[in-house]
Amino acid sequence: MWTYTQDPSTHQQWDLRFSEITYLPKDNPTSPQRFLYSTKIGFGFKVNGIGESVATKTKDSGESTSVLKFSSDSNLSVIRQGSGYWKYVPEQGGIKFFTGYDYQTRWGIFGQIFDKFIFRPLMVWATAWSFDCLKNWIEKGLHPKQVIKAKLTVVISGIALSLVWIYQGLIPKLLFTDTGEVEILKQSGLFTGNEKSVLTFIGWAEILFGLSILFIHKKFLHIINIFALLLLSATAFFSNAMIFTFPFNPFSLNLSMIAISTIAILNVGCLPKASNSITKQK
């Protein structure tokens, strides 16, 4: 745990708050360790700052605390200066890892408002997510690069599936109901006389499910997706088996969507979660 958090080249790999951390050479071995840090904020811009490890204290019980202070002269940084600590508390079968920090902002009253409602909550989330990422790396061997790829896989899978569900709900069921969807319901014989109302309900349900799978990256949604697609395939087959001979028929579409959900399920278990860390703002 100490190596993963105190070695700058390792620390920068799991902590979302920093893109690069570099130790500065010491004039005296007993001098505090100073370091440079930078954070990429997108579009080629990055925020630079300087930090200093003020003190490290270790108790006989093995509990250790590392204190640091940091500052940034960059006008792009909402943080002007601040301080924080890391605490390592050995326990039976593991280590409790704590952090606490606070800082002064720039940009006047705007900076205070921006920090309170946007920046600070984002920093709390990034800290909690990073801590769980570190935990998965140490305990499960999941390197942060693997985690990022897994996250992208789940996000792309969610986008692809949501677009299909939203399209299927909006276009053939709500906007263009005369394209064959009503006829399929009539052939099923289950909703005689109420086909259009049922079709409208199904359309909205598909849109809502598409939005859910886009924003909620949970395993159970992909399991629901797979079972729903299997059920729809079976219903379509027994209603009109000839539909499976058409181009882009339910078999090819549903099989592809089931494969995408399976890929997402295999990756979603690798994702760190900010909710796995206990956060408390003072």
Side-chain angles (χ1 to χ4, degrees):
M1 172 71 80
W2 188 266
T3 300
Y4 278 71
T5 55
Q6 296 291 331
D7 178 67
S9 61
T10 307
H11 177 195
Q12 68 189 24
Q13 295 183 60
W14 59 264
D15 199 332
L16 281 180
R17 298 168 297 175
F18 304 100
S19 302
E20 186 176 356
I21 305 172
T22 305
Y23 275 2
L24 296 174
K26 290 184 178 183
D27 296 330
N28 190 314
T30 60
S31 299
Q33 178 64 65
R34 301 173 72 240
F35 57 90
L36 300 176
Y37 66 86
S38 65
T39 303
K40 295 178 181 178
I41 58 176
F43 305 103
F45 294 100
K46 63 180 181 179
V47 172
N48 298 315
I50 188 167
E52 182 178 301
S53 297
V54 181
T56 299
K57 183 184 296 184
T58 303
K59 297 181 180 180
D60 294 338
S61 62
E63 177 182 315
S64 297
T65 303
S66 176
V67 181
L68 58 87
K69 60 181 181 180
F70 49 88
S71 62
S72 176
D73 293 330
S74 173
N75 289 326
L76 294 175
S77 174
V78 67
I79 296 176
R80 184 186 300 276
Q81 62 182 9
S83 61
Y85 69 88
W86 280 353
K87 181 185 289 186
Y88 311 75
V89 182
E91 292 192 339
Q92 185 67 32
I95 298 174
K96 278 189 175 179
F97 186 33
F98 298 86
T99 188
Y101 54 84
D102 200 4
Y103 49 82
Q104 298 175 8
T105 60
R106 52 168 44 91
W107 309 340
I109 186 66
F110 172 76
Q112 295 175 21
I113 296 173
F114 177 76
D115 176 62
K116 181 177 181 179
F117 294 104
I118 299 177
F119 185 75
R120 192 173 293 260
L122 181 61
M123 286 292 288
V124 171
W125 176 86
T127 304
W129 188 95
S130 298
F131 270 41
D132 200 44
C133 181
L134 171 64
K135 180 177 182 290
N136 286 345
W137 190 7
I138 294 175
E139 294 184 355
K140 301 178 183 179
L142 295 173
H143 192 278
K145 288 184 178 180
Q146 292 177 275
V147 170
I148 296 300
K149 290 181 180 179
K151 181 65 175 180
L152 288 175
T153 299
V154 172
V155 169
I156 293 172
S157 297
I159 293 173
L161 291 171
S162 69
L163 288 176
V164 175
W165 278 112
I166 293 172
Y167 178 90
Q168 290 296 326
L170 181 63
I171 303 302
K173 294 181 178 65
L174 297 182
L175 299 181
F176 302 95
T177 57
D178 58 348
T179 55
E181 293 281 351
V182 173
E183 189 62 31
I184 292 175
L185 287 178
K186 286 182 178 180
Q187 292 175 1
S188 70
L190 298 175
F191 310 103
T192 305
N194 298 310
E195 289 84 3
K196 287 195 174 182
S197 297
V198 172
L199 195 64
T200 300
F201 174 79
I202 294 174
W204 281 111
E206 289 183 347
I207 291 173
L208 290 174
F209 184 72
L211 292 173
S212 298
I213 210 166
L214 174 63
F215 294 108
I216 304 174
H217 302 150
K218 297 290 185 179
K219 185 176 180 179
F220 77 90
L221 282 177
H222 290 283
I223 294 175
I224 292 174
N225 182 59
I226 291 173
F227 279 104
L229 291 169
L230 291 174
L231 179 61
L232 288 173
S233 297
T235 302
F237 178 80
F238 288 110
S239 298
N240 182 9
M242 286 300 297
I243 198 174
F244 284 83
T245 65
F246 297 164
F248 301 103
N249 60 72
F251 175 79
S252 58
L253 176 62
N254 293 356
L255 182 64
S256 300
M257 294 176 70
I258 288 172
I260 292 174
S261 265
T262 303
I263 293 171
I265 289 172
L266 293 175
N267 284 275
V268 74
C270 303
L271 303 183
K273 299 175 184 177
S275 59
N276 289 339
S277 300
I278 300 173
T279 59
K280 181 179 180 182
Q281 296 190 60
K282 293 185 178 181

